[in-house]
Amino acid sequence: MTSTHTTEVSTRRQTYTVPTHMNEPDKLLFGLTARQLLVLITGASVTYAIWLQVLTWAMAWGGELLWSRGLALLVVLPLILVTLAFTFLQIADRSLELWVVVWMRARLAPVTYVWRSAKWDEAEQRRLRARKRAHTRQEEHSQSEHEQEGWS
């Protein structure tokens, strides 16, 4: 007696998860990226250090505690705003520090402005074309002389 054993091939679809946010930076803490966290911590540290300095100076000058705190707040308020701008502000999907680097490179790069009249440009173009034609004729003449002498 022979028995037939049939193997049933099951075709199961395998599903894969395709990452869709490959160009997005990872969020580390409180929904902030590593760059944002670093800028925020650095700005907060510098702001706090300046706050303490101004508070110490104002107290040394004989100011009251409330007046000294008010002065210190006025001094560090622009730093707080700059820190928040550098942390969260993006223009055209680029961070603010990138725009500062671009601006600095543009300001530091040497720039030369040359004024030329439209008539000068036309005359210069004619001279350049004439030089090019003369150079081409000279090459053709040189090549024909070489062919006549037996050069190939």
Side-chain angles (χ1 to χ4, degrees), residues 43-108:
S45 300
V46 170
T47 301
Y48 183 67
I50 291 174
W51 163 274
L52 289 178
Q53 280 293 347
V54 171
L55 195 60
T56 304
W57 289 340
M59 296 287 284
W61 289 338
E64 297 176 11
L65 183 62
L66 185 61
W67 181 84
S68 300
R69 285 185 178 170
L71 179 64
L73 181 64
L74 284 176
V75 169
V76 298
L77 190 61
L79 293 172
I80 293 169
L81 295 175
V82 167
T83 298
L84 291 174
F86 272 87
T87 302
F88 297 110
L89 187 65
Q90 286 193 346
I91 301 171
D93 291 330
R94 297 182 197 275
S95 61
L96 200 56
E97 66 262 12
L98 183 62
W99 286 109
V100 169
V101 169
V102 168
W103 177 78
M104 286 174 58
R105 287 184 67 189
R107 296 295 300 162
L108 295 175

Side-chain angles (χ1 to χ4, degrees), residues 105-121:
R105 287 184 67 189
R107 296 295 300 162
L108 295 175
V111 178
T112 304
Y113 296 101
V114 178
W115 179 85
R116 294 180 182 157
S117 71
K119 293 178 183 177
W120 185 89
D121 283 341

